[in-house]
Amino acid sequence: TVEGFVVNNYTNQNIQCPNCHHSIDMVIDQKQSNKKIYDDCPSCHRAIEFTMEINPQNQSVNLTTSNEEDGLF
């Protein structure tokens, strides 16, 4: 679960790594569609799966994370 604020069509989301709980700031373009993003934590370098769901009606972004390292490689 994330906290964020909206500037124009971009929102800043603060999430925690599901592995080491490091705080990660992300800037998301709300004009994008729903998608999954895979990236490594900048602290522990383990893989994270981000699921991004954008609701254009109320301009909200729901960003969730999960530890998918074992399933990716």
Side-chain angles (χ1 to χ4, degrees):
T1 311
V2 297
E3 299 174 11
F5 64 90
V6 177
V7 176
N8 295 326
N9 289 319
Y10 294 90
T11 184
N12 180 30
Q13 302 286 328
N14 184 283
I15 60 160
Q16 285 190 340
C17 172
N19 303 299
C20 70
H21 305 290
H22 176 77
S23 179
I24 304 168
D25 284 324
M26 296 183 71
V27 177
I28 299 169
D29 181 357
Q30 290 182 297
K31 291 183 181 180
Q32 296 182 32
S33 59
N34 297 343
K35 63 181 172 181
K36 290 189 184 243
I37 304 164
Y38 299 92
D39 203 355
D40 293 337
C41 173
S43 180
C44 71
H45 307 288
R46 293 182 64 191
I48 306 170
E49 177 187 53
F50 300 93
T51 303
M52 181 172 65
E53 296 174 351
I54 297 179
N55 184 338
Q57 293 175 341
N58 65 4
Q59 297 182 342
S60 67
V61 176
N62 182 31
L63 185 65
T64 56
T65 61
S66 62
N67 176 352
E68 292 294 326
E69 187 171 66
D70 294 333
L72 292 176
F73 306 102

